[in-house]
Amino acid sequence: MPFFEQRKYAAALPGAPQTCQERGNTNGDGRMPAWLTVVGMGDDGFAGLGRPARRALLDASVVFGGERHLAMLPPRLRARREPWPRPFDVAPVLAHRGNHASVCVLASGDPMLFGVGATLARQLTADEMRVLPAPSSLSLAAARLGWPLQDVATLSLVGRPLAALNGCLHRGSRIFVLCSDGCTPGAIAALLNERGFGPSRMIVLEHLGGASERRIDVRADAWNQDEVAALNLVAIECRAGERALALPLTPGLADEVWQHDGQLTKRDVRAITLARLAPEPGELLWDVGAGCGSIGIEWMRAHPSCRAIAIEAHAGRQRFIEHNRDALGAPGLQIVAGNAPDALEGLATPDAIFIGGGVTAPGVLDTCWAQLRSGGRLVANAVTVQSEAALIAWREQHGGTLTRVSVAQAQPLGGFDTWRQALPITLLESRKP
């Protein structure tokens, strides 16, 4: 008997498992079934789900989700329906881990795109969770507008500050913004006008994929909508006006964009310093003696996943940091009030440390070096003779490189120009073994 006929014969025997689900494998790849299924749902509700997603919900003992999603489920589902707690927390879902219950979580569109699936994935293994996505609102928006999705910047303002949009505003760029409520589009229009991007085109897409889908197409400087649906996405085509504040992607933003009291690492030195710090995605920087926060903010602008903590004792400069981080699109910058080294206690382990002030304070360099992860980078700048001497002495013990940076600018002198020399900077760079 041919092999494939033997398989057909064996499958027909009484009690033989007929499908991979009946063999105890809902994943179809040899793994045991996941206890949690995350179902992406569009605005078309239960009727728009595929067969695997409907089956998972029908078999579930409990379903977690937002009140809007739970209301879309048909009455015939026997599962207990649990709305998300406020404030939002996935702990009630994780409490079912290991109790052999079949649990479902409802999410909007693609759960792994700014969604609860991504949150759960940080705490569960891939074998524990099965994700059944629906088309994301970003995919639907790209389809409606004919915008290639790979060419569009994406930003979520759900639970995130509006100031994050400042980091995305560039002439000619396209942006998709996931909004937190019906007031967000108006706030976006106001921000665009404030930044000089009033001529930008805004397309508000409500209830994408649902029966109530609607489109509002308007310039930011002509925004006059009184009512927008809470479920919306805003597409922006950035058009800069004459007074637009457009920020380049390269390090070394112009000194004029910063609020400060003189404690600012100047543009050219800042660009060199950031090149030595060499930010990589996901890394954490300590900006010690942060001044107006310029190094930490530009570190975070290098990549959306870069993080920074600004340590600054001066209350007035802390206010400068707060303003600058929002205005320049890095609202996630954390501020720690206090003097190093005491203020460094308990902070997350950094991948890189910049010391812009306080290298002569006892214990600052040694504490920073001790807290830096293996392979991390330490960069410190010195202006005074005493701080330079501290860097030279420290280098004798721990190694590294010293660089003297001197910048001169042409300035008027009578009817001619002459070179005005800025104070030279001594830069220490060291990598921890």
Side-chain angles (χ1 to χ4, degrees):
M1 182 183 298
F3 177 73
F4 68 90
E5 292 290 350
Q6 296 179 36
R7 292 184 62 187
K8 288 171 61 179
Y9 174 77
L13 291 174
Q18 303 299 308
T19 65
C20 61
Q21 283 81 7
E22 292 171 305
R23 292 194 301 270
N25 175 19
T26 60
N27 299 311
D29 59 3
R31 294 179 296 158
M32 292 302 293
W35 65 269
L36 174 64
T37 302
V38 184
V39 175
M41 181 182 285
D43 208 50
D44 49 1
F46 188 81
L49 297 177
R51 182 178 296 176
R54 293 198 302 270
R55 183 76 264 165
L57 289 166
L58 288 167
D59 291 343
S61 58
V62 58
V63 178
F64 290 88
E67 294 178 359
R68 181 177 67 88
H69 286 133
L70 294 175
M72 294 178 176
L73 299 178
R76 69 177 183 274
L77 259 68
R78 63 180 179 84
R80 187 175 80 256
R81 306 176 191 201
E82 292 284 352
W84 291 117
R86 296 182 181 179
F88 174 80
D89 192 352
V90 296
V93 175
L94 300 176
H96 288 269
R97 194 180 196 177
N99 66 3
H100 305 293
S102 180
V103 181
C104 275
V105 165
L106 292 176
S108 293
D110 185 348
M112 302 304 291
L113 183 69
F114 298 113
V116 67
T119 303
L120 289 164
R122 298 185 190 105
Q123 303 190 54
L124 298 173
T125 65
D127 289 344
E128 295 180 272
M129 182 174 70
R130 181 172 59 142
V131 180
L132 303 175
S136 70
S137 56
L138 301 181
S139 295
L140 293 173
R144 300 291 189 272
L145 301 178
W147 292 4
L149 189 53
Q150 71 271 14
D151 298 333
V152 183
T154 60
L155 175 68
S156 174
L157 294 181
V158 180
R160 296 174 176 85
L162 177 67
L165 181 58
N166 284 324
C168 302
L169 300 181
H170 305 284
R171 291 182 178 88
S173 65
R174 288 173 167 174
I175 310 168
F176 282 153
V177 183
L178 301 175
C179 297
S180 58
D181 54 36
C183 298
T184 307
I188 290 173
L191 183 146
L192 291 172
N193 281 297
E194 181 184 347
R195 291 293 297 265
F197 282 85
S200 297
R201 180 189 180 197
M202 289 178 57
I203 307 105
V204 182
L205 299 167
E206 302 176 335
H207 292 287
L208 275 164
S212 302
E213 183 172 324
R214 184 174 76 126
R215 170 173 171 165
I216 303 169
D217 200 326
V218 65
R219 277 174 50 133
D221 54 12
W223 180 264
N224 60 355
Q225 300 296 316
D226 295 328
E227 188 173 347
V228 175
L231 186 63
N232 72 83
L233 175 148
V234 175
I236 305 171
E237 278 189 316
C238 289
R239 297 168 184 166
E242 292 182 1
R243 60 180 185 85
L245 177 60
L247 302 174
L249 297 175
T250 51
L253 297 178
D255 294 343
E256 291 74 26
V257 306
W258 304 93
Q259 282 193 6
H260 62 91
D261 61 357
Q263 294 299 310
L264 169 70
T265 302
K266 298 298 176 58
R267 180 180 191 174
D268 299 298
V269 175
R270 192 180 336 121
I272 295 170
T273 300
L274 284 158
R276 299 297 181 94
L277 286 168
E280 294 188 21
E283 289 193 323
L284 172 65
L285 171 76
W286 284 2
D287 185 358
V288 180
C292 70
S294 62
I295 295 294
I297 290 168
E298 293 218 37
W299 168 279
M300 292 184 65
R301 285 175 52 84
H303 192 273
S305 66
C306 284
R307 300 164 294 135
I309 300 174
I311 297 94
E312 176 56 55
H314 191 284
R317 292 170 190 158
Q318 292 166 20
R319 304 292 83 78
F320 289 139
I321 297 172
E322 291 172 353
H323 168 84
N324 290 330
R325 70 180 180 184
D326 289 348
L328 302 176
L333 176 71
Q334 179 184 347
I335 301 174
V336 172
N339 286 303
D342 294 341
L344 306 179
E345 185 176 353
L347 300 184
T349 301
D351 301 284
I353 298 175
F354 172 66
I355 308 175
V359 295
T360 58
V364 169
L365 278 166
D366 290 336
T367 300
C368 287
W369 188 250
Q371 296 299 318
L372 184 65
R373 72 160 175 85
S374 297
R377 291 89 65 198
L378 184 145
V379 174
N381 288 356
V383 178
T384 67
V385 172
Q386 289 78 10
S387 57
E388 182 183 80
L391 296 186
I392 293 171
W394 192 89
R395 174 176 172 264
E396 290 296 320
Q397 288 186 309
H398 302 281
T401 61
L402 286 172
T403 304
R404 174 67 63 86
V405 180
S406 183
V407 178
Q409 293 183 328
Q411 295 182 1
L413 179 65
F416 299 92
D417 291 327
T418 188
W419 292 108
R420 297 290 185 186
Q421 193 82 26
L423 291 174
I425 305 292
T426 300
L427 185 149
L428 167 73
E429 177 190 1
S430 188
R431 183 177 291 270
K432 189 173 181 178

